[in-house]
Amino acid sequence: MKYIALLVTALLLFAACGGGNHDYAPKPRGFYRIEFPKKEYQEYTAGCPYTFTYPKYAVIEPDKKAGAKPCWVNMQFPQFKATLHLSYQPVTSKKEFNELVEDARTFAFKHTVKATSIDEGVIHYADKKVYGIYYTIDGNAASSAQFFLTDSTRNYIRGALYFNSEPRLDSIQPVLNFIKQDVAVMIKSFKWR
């Protein structure tokens, strides 16, 4: 009886393991489907010494953090959990201007630890007196895009794009590319008052 039970168990195990030619392959890792809104823009004119065009699906609100100054705003992209922080500073001297430009460079290069590369692009719209530098930060850095704009005499604004999630470039790349297009439109439309 003992041998019959052992034989039946062995036959059942053998049948379960070899009973068919099923190929098993693990399912590929899935990603969320991203619905991108239609690119539509509107003008930002809120009593600050600058204006620009920004997307209709973004929300601009004053910066509410301690130490925020007038005309510091956050452009929120709620659908993508991203924020473009814009901080305006009037320029009162050449020394202050140089310090602001150096601060922008320092803030961008603080991401060197996680970045795979940091590229600088010159912004030059002489007809509108808009000049600056755009920092493209590649890799798993906290901020993927930073820039500053100035008229080189009286006005200065710095922008930094952050996502409200752990920085993993492979996950945010499609959204980052989408928002960078909006940042480019904003910079090209930027005007001092």
Side-chain angles (χ1 to χ4, degrees), residues 13-78:
L13 285 174
F14 183 71
C17 293
N21 198 6
H22 301 288
D23 288 332
Y24 175 76
K27 292 183 180 179
R29 188 173 181 177
F31 295 99
Y32 294 107
R33 180 178 174 160
I34 302 170
E35 295 286 336
F36 291 111
K38 182 180 175 187
K39 294 273 188 194
E40 294 182 282
Y41 297 95
Q42 58 193 347
E43 195 74 19
Y44 177 77
T45 57
C48 292
Y50 55 82
T51 64
F52 56 83
T53 301
Y54 72 102
K56 289 187 175 182
Y57 43 85
V59 177
I60 296 182
E61 56 188 34
D63 191 336
K64 297 174 185 154
K65 288 186 180 172
K69 297 180 180 176
C71 295
W72 283 26
V73 296
N74 293 323
M75 185 185 307
Q76 304 283 350
F77 296 88

Side-chain angles (χ1 to χ4, degrees), residues 44 48 50-55 58-65 67-77 83-89 134 145-149 156-162 182-183 186-187 189-190 192:
Y44 177 77
C48 292
Y50 55 82
T51 64
F52 56 83
T53 301
Y54 72 102
V59 177
I60 296 182
E61 56 188 34
D63 191 336
K64 297 174 185 154
K65 288 186 180 172
K69 297 180 180 176
C71 295
W72 283 26
V73 296
N74 293 323
M75 185 185 307
Q76 304 283 350
F77 296 88
T83 304
L84 178 64
H85 300 278
L86 298 170
S87 51
Y88 169 78
Q89 182 75 31
Y134 185 94
Q146 295 192 19
F147 63 89
F148 75 85
L149 302 173
Y156 172 93
I157 192 166
R158 182 178 168 277
L161 177 65
Y162 287 90
D182 296 329
V183 172
M186 187 208 104
I187 291 171
S189 68
F190 198 89
W192 300 106

Side-chain angles (χ1 to χ4, degrees), residues 34-37 57 77-82 163-164 175 178-179:
I34 302 170
E35 295 286 336
F36 291 111
Y57 43 85
F77 296 88
Q79 179 179 359
F80 306 121
K81 296 180 180 158
F163 286 87
N164 300 334
V175 174
F178 185 81
I179 292 176

